[in-house]
Amino acid sequence: MARSAPLLRLEKSKGFYEAIINSLLDAIILVDRKFKIIFVNRAAEELIFKDLKEVFGRPFRDVFGDTLAPLIEKSFSTERALSGRGLELSPGRTVSVDFSLSPYFTDGTLPAGVIVSLREASKAEHGSYDYALDSLNSMLSSIAHEIKNPLGGIRGASQLLKDKVTDREGSECVALIIKEVDRLKKLLQELLGLSKRSVFGPTNIHEVIEQAVVLFNGEIEDSSIKVVRQYDPSLPKVKGDDRKLLQVFLNLLKNALEAMPSGGTITIFTRPSDEYALEGNKITRWALIGVKDEGCGIAREELNKIFFPFYTKKAGGTGLGLTISQKIIRDHGGHINVESIQGTGATFKIYIPFFP
């Protein structure tokens, strides 16, 4: 079996390796093939409030609890790197961490153990941000309800006025009013749709993606853009709300099309992810769906901003498309991220749990 982790030889220049590992901000724990701790770096000591002497030789479960242990055993037995987000550990206190696991090899073909890398999840990212987003959603939904009826009245009156105006300039003004009212109504529909409770069920993600592609067929055919599908036909159904997931893919495809005014290729791929999560005592896996474009890409300094409400650099954009998409995916128990180098396009990756 091909190894998924680089060869690590701790017996050579041990002090040099320890100095490097101790300088990392992530907590690093090495466990041997018996799943006992043989090394922790300084960041790990700070996380558990214990030094290496106190934990050396102790089972990982005794120090960190039972939550992550099954995944460490799986990483070891399958010789595969695994990762995940927002997992709760109990090293004397309850902490939420993002983690990655990677088997390491010294000599021979069998792994000698697993490298565990932990990073305490930012409260601003997982807690305060979600609360702020929920509060914003509640406020916007209230506003949307308040202005929905007056907006309908404005459109109705404009339509009556359009039938009575005879000069060209007046007709153009009325047409502009109707156009802008329709644009606002579309925005309100998005906000009101977001406030509706999701109804989850077994969802064929390929069918949802194809619905989104069909809705953009006109724009795709009128441009020099090609859509390439790289679907895994064996992908199980995901836990999803068809309507809301459709909205996510419409947003991502719209962004991809707008990023390539001169044409290019949009690649949509699906496969089981390499990430795992725990739901109770059950190990679960996500489906990975990617939407890749060949557009202008996203500047490094903007990557952490694009999911913020109202952040946009598009003329006439609302800055809510990616915010809404992220909220929908989080409501599904998944997450969304983006990889991009400016000038070479962007890839949005969505992780959604499989249906039980």
Side-chain angles (χ1 to χ4, degrees):
M1 180 182 293
R3 294 173 181 170
S4 58
L7 187 66
L8 178 63
R9 298 187 181 277
L10 290 175
E11 72 273 11
K12 294 183 179 180
S13 304
K14 183 178 178 181
F16 173 73
Y17 282 110
E18 285 188 8
I20 292 177
I21 296 173
N22 275 322
S23 69
L24 298 176
L25 296 178
D26 289 358
I28 305 296
I29 303 100
L30 269 63
V31 298
D32 63 15
R33 62 176 66 247
K34 294 182 179 179
F35 309 112
K36 293 184 177 181
I37 297 172
I38 59 173
F39 179 81
V40 294
N41 70 347
R42 291 195 183 98
E45 290 177 337
E46 293 174 1
L47 179 68
I48 61 179
F49 299 114
K50 293 181 176 67
D51 60 27
L52 176 58
K53 292 180 181 179
E54 295 178 86
V55 298
F56 182 83
R58 294 179 59 185
F60 184 89
R61 291 175 185 268
D62 288 357
V63 179
F64 290 90
D66 294 330
T67 310
L68 191 57
L71 294 182
I72 295 175
E73 294 171 5
K74 191 171 187 69
S75 177
F76 179 83
S77 63
T78 60
E79 298 184 20
R80 292 183 61 183
L82 306 176
S83 60
R85 299 180 56 171
L87 197 68
E88 288 196 350
L89 297 182
S90 303
R93 61 190 177 104
T94 301
V95 292
S96 178
V97 298
D98 299 337
F99 69 90
S100 63
L101 312 174
S102 182
Y104 68 88
F105 298 79
T106 52
D107 292 309
T109 58
L110 295 176
V114 175
I115 302 171
V116 181
S117 176
L118 306 175
R119 173 173 293 183
E120 191 166 358
S122 166
K123 291 180 181 179
E125 178 183 352
H126 293 289
S128 300
Y129 180 80
D130 283 342
Y131 176 77
L133 191 56
D134 287 339
S135 298
L136 176 65
N137 174 40
S138 178
M139 180 188 71
L140 291 177
S141 296
S142 298
I143 294 173
H145 278 290
E146 288 297 322
I147 64 177
K148 183 180 178 182
N149 290 336
L151 204 58
I154 293 172
R155 195 189 193 287
S158 300
Q159 195 67 48
L160 291 174
L161 187 60
K162 180 181 179 181
D163 297 334
K164 296 182 179 180
V165 173
T166 55
D167 62 289
R168 180 180 175 182
E169 185 177 357
S171 296
E172 290 178 350
C173 288
V174 174
L176 179 60
I177 293 172
I178 294 174
K179 179 183 176 182
E180 290 303 301
V181 166
D182 287 342
R183 184 176 69 84
L184 288 174
K185 284 180 65 178
K186 184 179 178 181
L187 175 60
L188 290 178
Q189 288 170 356
E190 288 184 356
L191 295 175
L192 291 171
L194 181 62
S195 66
K196 293 180 180 177
R197 186 181 297 274
S198 297
V199 180
F200 299 114
T203 300
N204 185 324
I205 199 65
H206 298 142
E207 291 180 357
V208 177
I209 296 170
E210 286 304 306
Q211 288 179 42
V213 173
V214 166
L215 291 173
F216 280 110
N217 269 348
E219 293 181 43
I220 293 171
E221 292 173 357
D222 292 340
S223 64
S224 302
I225 291 175
K226 179 173 67 172
V227 176
V228 174
R229 300 162 176 83
Q230 297 176 351
Y231 295 164
D232 181 344
S234 65
L235 196 73
K237 292 185 177 182
V238 302
K239 172 187 173 183
D241 180 319
D242 293 23
R243 296 176 303 105
K244 293 200 171 185
L245 288 178
L246 177 61
Q247 186 175 3
V248 171
F249 291 111
L250 287 174
N251 286 335
L252 295 183
L253 286 173
K254 180 175 181 290
N255 288 346
L257 288 165
E258 292 175 347
M260 299 188 296
S262 301
T265 300
I266 297 174
T267 303
I268 308 172
F269 59 88
T270 65
R271 63 173 182 265
S273 77
D274 291 329
E275 294 188 303
Y276 288 76
L278 285 179
E279 292 183 1
N281 295 321
K282 182 182 178 183
I283 298 176
T284 62
R285 201 172 178 187
W286 284 299
L288 168 60
I289 307 101
V291 179
K292 179 181 179 182
D293 66 61
E294 297 178 338
C296 55
I298 303 168
R300 181 187 296 271
E301 61 271 16
E302 294 178 21
L303 286 174
N304 293 328
K305 302 176 183 177
I306 60 173
F307 292 103
F308 287 174
F310 305 113
Y311 182 83
T312 182
K313 290 197 169 182
K314 298 178 185 177
T318 63
L320 287 173
L322 289 177
T323 304
I324 290 172
S325 297
Q326 185 183 60
K327 179 65 167 60
I328 291 172
I329 297 302
R330 287 190 176 188
D331 287 346
H332 279 69
H335 61 271
I336 178 172
N337 61 38
V338 59
E339 298 171 358
S340 180
I341 298 176
Q342 195 166 15
T344 61
T347 302
F348 284 85
K349 293 182 177 180
I350 294 173
Y351 298 83
I352 307 177
F354 289 122
F355 191 79

